[in-house]
Amino acid sequence: MSTATSRPTRPADGPSLQIGALVPLTRPGWTEAGRHLLAGLELAARDINNTGGIAGKPLELIVRDTAADPHKAAAAVDELAHLGVTALAGEYHSVVARAAATRADARGLPYLCSSAVLDTLTDQPTEWVARLSPPQSRGWQTYADFLLSTGHTRIAVAAEPSLYWASGTRILHDHLTDRGATICELDMRALTATAVCDVVAKSHATALLLLVGHPEPAMPIVKAVRADQRLSSVLIGAPAGQPEFTEWATLLGHGGAEIPFLRYLPGHLTPLGTRVEKALREHLTSAASFVAFEGYDTIMVLAELLRLHGTDWARTAPPWSHISVEGTRGQIQFSRTPGISVWQWTSPPIQIVDRDPVDLDRLRILHSG
């Protein structure tokens, strides 16, 4: 069973409306992402309670640590349903979110996924699950187009076995090869860091994408490539949002973040977002990642859902299509998207950014889509 943490944020005594929050707080989960996600969830709950709660009732988050484990996430959904939560929020890791979404759908419990992008969060279309982050196919196709526009037509992909990484590799392969590029796929179950260098050198790749965990095997790969004179002109990085977090830059330095990466922020935050950004920075004592804003927006959407519908889900699924909420990153509305099994925020922002090699703490926006 996952670690149990109850974090009430209640303006007054009395029965609360409880939302179950799924967050990776321990290894092997990406704990920095979990910390940012939870900061956004909690700040939104406090803001709602400071303005009277929902229909006069305080909002309470019941937090469960998924530790990036799909089995723990599924068990946490069962436990939270037994405790009587009105809805579920959160999760960063796509494979974990998929397990949570499957259980939420089976139990008829509303789940708003904050930050996981895997297109197929459930095998079949569901009315019970919605998502804020863009689907992986949209974000990674945007990323592939950016690689081509910057001259990368020979790309190596070092990937570990994972539904998420396999999906990302397939998206990149299909989108890039259709446009004349070549993809060299490296199975990290079979290759050492030294062997990776040999394969990349033979492929004449100009970019090496890391679809792997950290610090292992990401760190040994970066060290080996940077020490290999044959690969001095090869750029290394990760397409997903990991390089936004300071842990990635601290462990791998600029050598592991030379290629730009995806994040899900607009060019300009909404007025609400500007206020939230200041509060998050004070709480985190660092710049808030896009994941923190996703957490905040998640609770704001669920609060509106509860205002519209109440808490009795026994007879009908949540009316995602009726939602219209000003979030930190824009107006949030949901629709059905072909090929996506859950309700999807219609227009989540996508950016491609990099770290300034002179100042690794500074992120530069290279493309918005």
Side-chain angles (χ1 to χ4, degrees), residues 75-91:
V77 171
D78 289 339
E79 179 199 1
L80 291 164
H82 179 73
L83 291 174
V85 300
T86 60
L88 298 170
E91 196 44 51

Side-chain angles (χ1 to χ4, degrees), residues 47-349:
D47 285 352
I48 288 167
N49 287 338
N50 288 339
T51 56
I54 301 171
K57 293 183 179 181
L59 187 65
E60 181 180 2
L61 299 184
I62 307 298
V63 181
R64 293 296 181 267
D65 173 22
T66 64
D69 185 327
H71 299 293
K72 284 188 176 182
V77 171
D78 289 339
E79 179 199 1
L80 291 164
H82 179 73
L83 291 174
V85 300
T86 60
L88 298 170
E91 196 44 51
Y92 172 78
H93 299 282
S94 281
V95 176
V96 181
R98 177 176 165 82
T102 299
R103 292 301 297 152
D105 178 48
R107 285 189 164 274
L109 186 61
Y111 171 37
L112 180 54
C113 177
S114 301
S115 194
V117 300
L118 192 67
D119 282 26
T120 53
L121 276 182
T122 55
D123 288 330
Q124 301 297 328
T126 174
E127 298 295 322
W128 294 96
V129 182
R131 172 171 51 199
L132 282 178
S133 51
Q136 189 179 19
S137 54
R138 180 187 162 205
W140 286 45
Q141 285 175 11
T142 300
Y143 185 77
D145 287 337
F146 180 82
L147 288 177
L148 289 174
S149 72
T150 53
H152 294 290
T153 58
R154 292 179 177 270
I155 298 161
V157 177
E160 289 185 299
S162 159
L163 178 63
Y164 174 62
W165 297 132
S167 173
T169 301
R170 183 173 60 254
I171 293 166
L172 292 173
H173 180 276
D174 292 348
H175 200 70
L176 289 168
T177 56
D178 281 350
R179 288 154 180 78
T182 60
I183 300 292
C184 176
E185 299 180 27
L186 294 79
D187 184 349
M188 294 313 301
R189 292 172 296 184
L191 296 175
T192 64
T194 300
V196 167
C197 294
D198 293 335
V199 175
V200 173
K202 291 178 182 178
S203 74
H204 302 291
T206 59
L208 172 60
L209 304 184
L210 302 178
L211 277 58
V212 298
H214 84 293
E216 303 288 338
M219 186 179 294
I221 294 172
V222 171
K223 287 184 176 179
V225 172
R226 288 285 70 98
D228 193 318
Q229 292 299 314
R230 298 174 298 173
L231 306 178
S232 59
S233 62
V234 174
L235 303 184
I236 311 174
Q242 303 102 312
E244 175 156 359
F245 296 103
T246 56
E247 184 176 354
W248 184 276
T250 299
L251 290 174
L252 303 178
H254 179 61
E258 296 169 322
I259 296 178
F261 51 91
L262 288 161
R263 71 172 180 176
Y264 307 123
L265 288 177
H268 299 283
L269 295 168
T270 65
L272 171 65
T274 300
R275 180 179 65 77
V276 167
E277 180 181 38
K278 181 175 183 294
L280 286 170
R281 180 182 287 274
E282 291 175 354
H283 175 74
L284 293 166
T285 65
S286 64
S289 72
F290 69 90
V291 177
F293 292 99
E294 288 174 328
Y296 189 96
D297 287 342
T298 298
I299 296 301
M300 300 305 288
V301 168
L302 287 178
E304 181 64 14
L305 190 71
L306 293 173
R307 292 187 186 103
L308 286 174
H309 188 280
T311 61
D312 182 10
W313 308 109
R315 293 181 299 276
T316 180
W320 300 109
S321 61
H322 296 171
I323 294 293
S324 183
V325 172
E326 182 195 357
T328 60
R329 299 165 298 144
Q331 196 72 18
I332 300 173
Q333 297 175 309
F334 295 90
S335 65
R336 285 296 193 183
T337 301
I340 307 299
S341 60
V342 302
W343 285 90
Q344 177 68 51
W345 181 12
T346 306
S347 54

